[in-house]
Amino acid sequence: MTKEAANICLLDTFVALMAGMIIIPACFAFNLEPGQGPGLIFVTLPKVFEAMPAGRFFGSLFFLFLAFAALSTLIAVFENIIAIIKDLTGLKRWQICVRGAIGMVILS
């Protein structure tokens, strides 16, 4: 378990550094402000893909994969919440999911 945790930390840091090495120079190349925060990906990368050959195709793939990454993270987070509520209350999984969905609709 410790080895897997270390691998995740190393790979996550590597990916973050690689993303920074792509995004920050692209900001300067397109005269954009690099201090915009997380939304920078939606400002800079469309301009990068626009300047590339077949950029519309690769840009579409990139943002599709980004959506899959967000969805898989969302599922993983909710799995933990469901497991905790199940352990604390003894409710069945479907009951937790229905109540959670109703709560999200109300809060949204």
Side-chain angles (χ1 to χ4, degrees):
M1 188 71 120
T2 304
K3 183 180 175 186
E4 289 300 318
N7 284 338
I8 290 170
C9 289
L10 289 172
L11 288 173
D12 183 58
T13 303
F14 175 75
V15 169
L17 289 172
M18 289 287 98
M21 288 182 185
I22 293 168
I23 296 288
I24 300 301
C27 285
F28 292 115
F30 292 103
N31 294 322
L32 299 171
E33 178 62 38
Q36 292 181 7
L40 193 61
I41 193 170
F42 300 108
V43 175
T44 305
L45 284 181
K47 293 183 187 253
V48 170
F49 289 126
E50 185 180 307
M52 293 172 52
R56 187 175 296 252
F57 173 73
F58 289 115
S60 298
L61 278 180
F62 174 80
F63 286 109
L64 178 68
F65 293 151
L66 186 65
F68 285 141
L71 183 62
S72 66
T73 301
L74 183 69
I75 290 170
V77 168
F78 278 116
E79 283 297 324
N80 289 328
I81 294 169
I82 290 170
I84 290 169
I85 293 172
K86 188 175 179 183
D87 287 344
L88 292 175
T89 64
L91 291 172
K92 293 184 177 168
R93 181 181 176 80
W94 69 269
Q95 292 172 319
I96 298 167
C97 291
V98 168
R99 290 178 185 186
I102 292 170
M104 281 191 292
V105 167
I106 291 170
L107 292 173
S108 294

